[in-house]
Amino acid sequence: MMKTLSSGNCTLSVPAKNSYRMVVLGASRVGKSSIVSRFLTGRFDDQYTPTIEDFHRKVYNIRGDMYQLDILDTSGNHPFPAMRRLSILTGDVFILVFSLDNRESFDEVKRIQKQILEVKSCLKNKTKETADLPMVICGNKNDHSEVYRKVRSDEAEKLVSSDENCAYFEISAKKNTNVDEMFYVLFSMAKLPHEMSPALHRKISVQYGDTFHQKSFRMRRVKEMDAYGMISPFARRPSVNSDLKYIKSKVLREGQAREREKCTIQ
Ligand code: GDP
Ligand code: MG
């Protein structure tokens, strides 16, 4: 199955098997949107802008093959629990964020991790302990003085110690510390191309969109690089209906159709 994407003035075709969704979860004000901004634009903004739910899409041409990464930047408040459950169901890789200077945000990450394992074990026909979900837990704002630290590293490391698909990073979106490393490890765990990491591909602006999807796409100036990424300017969050179809197609693809009736959105 191919997905057709409208991106600027061009149409891009991405095989469904190369489409992934990254979901960013955590309490409010811990730095989720700042991490997403680092990923997409490399920039950081000191201003706080509350997020309702932001959706972004990045498309890649990696040695001639097209990939798509959708990014769901959630609000942290989750007035509608069913929406959080849906976000979890549609996610392929997860970033759970807390702020190192905020104990409650760490407790929230623990709750979210538990919920992800519960929700996904239903889809994957696996027990909570063995659901192989690529997930990174980030203790953000490690640029703050140690005096403000409310969560010890060993406490956070305990959350990931029993799962090889789960890693813990102390990062700073503000200073851009450990952010690229975190994405690199997340994509490695998910078996996605390393080139999806911000530091490992050439960023292409949308004006090149017309030729971007062609196998022969190359920029003459940079012959040694063969991975390119472009932010889709008009990406819209898919409807709930599309999300449900996406989940269904994933379940079917994984050959576990008989388990799907167990998964109800409530
Ligand atoms: P969100 O609600 O989780 O999306 O959090 P935001 O990304 O909007 O960030 C909340 C506030 O924390 C903003 O004022 C950011 O500038 C600030 N912030 C985000 N990341 C960092 C960081 O690594 N260090 C510091 N000191 N501040 C940060
Ligand atoms: Mg936000």
Side-chain angles (χ1 to χ4, degrees), residues 29-34 44-46 48 140-141 143 173-174:
R29 293 175 181 257
V30 292
K32 298 181 296 300
S33 300
S34 303
F44 174 80
D45 185 359
D46 258 318
Y48 173 59
N140 189 34
K141 308 197 186 182
D143 51 283
K174 181 172 183 161

Side-chain angles (χ1 to χ4, degrees), residues 59-101:
V59 284
Y60 298 86
N61 183 322
I62 299 173
R63 289 178 293 282
D65 289 325
M66 294 301 299
Y67 292 83
Q68 172 186 311
L69 184 69
D70 287 349
I71 301 158
L72 204 59
D73 177 13
T74 63
S75 77
N77 293 324
H78 296 289
F80 307 109
M83 282 309 286
R84 174 141 109 184
R85 203 172 147 77
L86 189 62
S87 307
I88 292 172
L89 277 169
T90 58
D92 300 301
V93 300
F94 294 89
I95 300 180
L96 274 51
V97 189
F98 68 93
S99 181
L100 287 163
D101 60 6

Side-chain angles (χ1 to χ4, degrees), residues 20-26 52-55 70-76 78-96 112 115-116 119-120 123 133 237-240 243-244 246-247 265-266:
Y20 303 95
R21 186 177 285 187
M22 179 162 86
V23 181
V24 189
L25 293 153
I52 298 167
E53 185 172 80
D54 283 341
F55 181 81
D70 287 349
I71 301 158
L72 204 59
D73 177 13
T74 63
S75 77
H78 296 289
F80 307 109
M83 282 309 286
R84 174 141 109 184
R85 203 172 147 77
L86 189 62
S87 307
I88 292 172
L89 277 169
T90 58
D92 300 301
V93 300
F94 294 89
I95 300 180
L96 274 51
I112 297 169
Q115 190 184 9
I116 292 175
V119 169
K120 286 294 205 179
L123 261 193
L133 290 166
R237 193 207 190 294
S239 65
V240 168
D243 272 357
L244 292 171
Y246 180 77
I247 296 164
I265 312 269
Q266 48 198 302

Side-chain angles (χ1 to χ4, degrees), residues 38-200:
R38 277 283 178 208
F39 182 81
L40 291 171
T41 67
R43 288 196 280 271
F44 174 80
D45 185 359
D46 258 318
Q47 296 285 319
Y48 173 59
T49 313
T51 311
I52 298 167
E53 185 172 80
D54 283 341
F55 181 81
H56 308 272
R57 176 168 288 161
K58 190 154 178 175
V59 284
Y60 298 86
N61 183 322
I62 299 173
R63 289 178 293 282
D65 289 325
M66 294 301 299
Y67 292 83
Q68 172 186 311
L69 184 69
D70 287 349
I71 301 158
L72 204 59
D73 177 13
T74 63
S75 77
N77 293 324
H78 296 289
F80 307 109
M83 282 309 286
R84 174 141 109 184
R85 203 172 147 77
L86 189 62
S87 307
I88 292 172
L89 277 169
T90 58
D92 300 301
V93 300
F94 294 89
I95 300 180
L96 274 51
V97 189
F98 68 93
S99 181
L100 287 163
D101 60 6
N102 182 325
R103 185 80 205 174
E104 282 101 74
S105 69
F106 178 62
D107 294 336
E108 177 67 357
V109 157
K110 286 198 261 183
R111 282 191 290 272
I112 297 169
Q113 185 188 31
K114 203 161 157 252
Q115 190 184 9
I116 292 175
L117 295 177
E118 275 165 10
V119 169
K120 286 294 205 179
S121 62
C122 150
L123 261 193
K124 297 215 164 205
N125 189 23
K126 287 184 175 170
T127 63
K128 277 188 239 177
E129 291 72 28
T130 60
D132 54 346
L133 290 166
M135 181 190 298
V136 161
I137 295 180
C138 294
N140 189 34
K141 308 197 186 182
N142 85 340
D143 51 283
H144 279 160
S145 156
E146 282 294 303
V147 178
Y148 299 105
R149 182 187 275 269
K150 296 281 170 14
V151 183
R152 294 193 321 271
S153 306
D154 65 301
E155 291 178 280
E157 273 154 12
K158 233 186 251 169
L159 296 183
V160 302
S161 58
S162 62
D163 190 342
E164 61 184 25
N165 281 305
C166 199
Y168 172 62
F169 280 87
E170 297 198 347
I171 67 168
S172 166
K174 181 172 183 161
K175 301 276 185 226
N176 207 13
T177 313
N178 251 351
V179 177
D180 284 348
E181 291 83 348
M182 180 271 286
F183 282 115
Y184 184 88
V185 167
L186 180 62
F187 294 146
S188 299
M189 291 189 305
K191 301 186 176 60
L192 303 188
H194 293 143
E195 291 85 350
M196 282 188 171
S197 305
L200 298 181

